[in-house]
Amino acid sequence: VEILESPPARPYQQIADIDVAGEPGALRPQVIAQIRTKAQQIGADAVIIQDLSRPAPTSSRLNPTTGMYETTGGQLVPAFKGIAIKYK
Protein backbone atom coordinates (compact mmCIF):
# COMPACT_ATOMS: atom_id res chain seq x y z
CA VAL A 1 0.00 0.00 0.00
CA GLU A 2 1.47 3.33 -1.09
CA ILE A 3 1.50 6.21 1.39
CA LEU A 4 0.82 9.52 -0.40
CA GLU A 5 1.03 13.07 0.92
CA SER A 6 -1.24 14.44 -1.85
CA PRO A 7 -3.75 12.99 -4.32
CA PRO A 8 -2.21 11.02 -7.19
CA ALA A 9 -2.32 12.22 -10.79
CA ARG A 10 -3.90 8.98 -12.01
CA PRO A 11 -7.63 8.26 -11.62
CA TYR A 12 -8.74 6.69 -8.34
CA GLN A 13 -11.79 5.95 -6.25
CA GLN A 14 -12.02 6.69 -2.53
CA ILE A 15 -13.01 3.54 -0.65
CA ALA A 16 -12.68 4.46 3.05
CA ASP A 17 -11.53 6.99 5.67
CA ILE A 18 -8.99 5.76 8.19
CA ASP A 19 -8.33 7.77 11.37
CA VAL A 20 -5.46 6.81 13.63
CA ALA A 21 -4.12 8.62 16.70
CA GLY A 22 -1.02 7.55 18.58
CA GLU A 23 -0.04 7.99 22.20
CA PRO A 24 1.80 11.20 23.16
CA GLY A 25 5.40 10.82 22.07
CA ALA A 26 4.70 7.96 19.61
CA LEU A 27 6.73 8.05 16.44
CA ARG A 28 5.19 9.08 13.12
CA PRO A 29 6.31 5.87 11.30
CA GLN A 30 4.52 3.74 13.91
CA VAL A 31 1.23 5.55 13.38
CA ILE A 32 1.55 5.49 9.58
CA ALA A 33 2.25 1.73 9.77
CA GLN A 34 -1.12 1.33 11.53
CA ILE A 35 -2.82 3.20 8.67
CA ARG A 36 -1.04 1.02 6.09
CA THR A 37 -2.15 -2.16 7.90
CA LYS A 38 -5.78 -1.04 7.99
CA ALA A 39 -5.62 -0.07 4.30
CA GLN A 40 -4.20 -3.50 3.39
CA GLN A 41 -7.04 -5.18 5.27
CA ILE A 42 -9.64 -3.42 3.11
CA GLY A 43 -7.78 -3.93 -0.18
CA ALA A 44 -6.64 -0.36 -0.84
CA ASP A 45 -3.90 0.41 -3.37
CA ALA A 46 -2.80 3.59 -1.60
CA VAL A 47 -3.62 5.98 1.23
CA ILE A 48 -3.57 9.79 1.03
CA ILE A 49 -2.58 10.97 4.50
CA GLN A 50 -3.25 14.22 6.29
CA ASP A 51 -1.22 15.08 9.40
CA LEU A 52 -3.55 16.15 12.22
CA SER A 53 -0.90 15.92 14.98
CA ARG A 54 -1.11 18.38 17.85
CA PRO A 55 0.66 19.05 21.13
CA ALA A 56 -0.84 17.53 24.26
CA PRO A 57 -2.13 20.00 26.85
CA THR A 58 0.39 21.17 29.42
CA SER A 59 -0.12 21.59 33.13
CA SER A 60 1.95 22.93 36.00
CA ARG A 61 2.36 21.29 39.37
CA LEU A 62 4.33 22.08 42.47
CA ASN A 63 7.23 19.72 43.11
CA PRO A 64 7.22 19.31 46.91
CA THR A 65 10.89 18.30 46.95
CA THR A 66 12.25 21.36 45.15
CA GLY A 67 9.48 23.81 45.91
CA MET A 68 9.47 24.73 42.21
CA TYR A 69 6.66 24.47 39.69
CA GLU A 70 7.17 21.94 36.89
CA THR A 71 5.45 21.85 33.53
CA THR A 72 4.27 18.47 32.30
CA GLY A 73 2.71 17.42 29.02
CA GLY A 74 3.16 19.27 25.75
CA GLN A 75 4.42 16.22 23.87
CA LEU A 76 3.31 15.80 20.28
CA VAL A 77 0.27 13.55 19.88
CA PRO A 78 0.58 12.05 16.40
CA ALA A 79 -2.73 11.78 14.58
CA PHE A 80 -3.37 11.12 10.92
CA LYS A 81 -6.39 10.90 8.68
CA GLY A 82 -5.99 8.56 5.76
CA ILE A 83 -8.14 8.34 2.65
CA ALA A 84 -7.88 4.81 1.32
CA ILE A 85 -8.06 4.66 -2.45
CA LYS A 86 -8.24 2.12 -5.25
CA TYR A 87 -6.77 3.01 -8.64
CA LYS A 88 -9.14 2.82 -11.62
Side-chain angles (χ1 to χ4, degrees), residues 45-67:
D45 294 323
V47 179
I48 305 164
I49 60 166
Q50 296 175 318
D51 190 344
L52 305 174
S53 300
R54 65 195 186 295
T58 59
S59 62
S60 295
R61 67 179 185 92
L62 180 63
N63 181 330
T65 304
T66 64

Side-chain angles (χ1 to χ4, degrees), residues 27-50:
L27 300 176
R28 176 184 172 159
Q30 294 171 327
V31 179
I32 290 177
Q34 292 175 26
I35 292 175
R36 178 179 273 130
T37 299
K38 289 183 179 187
Q40 285 172 332
Q41 292 171 349
I42 60 173
D45 294 323
V47 179
I48 305 164
I49 60 166
Q50 296 175 318

Side-chain angles (χ1 to χ4, degrees), residues 1 3 5 8 14 16 20 42 46-48 61 64 67 70 75 80:
V1 174
I3 300 296
E5 302 270 337
Q14 181 177 334
V20 175
I42 60 173
V47 179
I48 305 164
R61 67 179 185 92
E70 298 175 342
Q75 289 181 305
F80 293 88

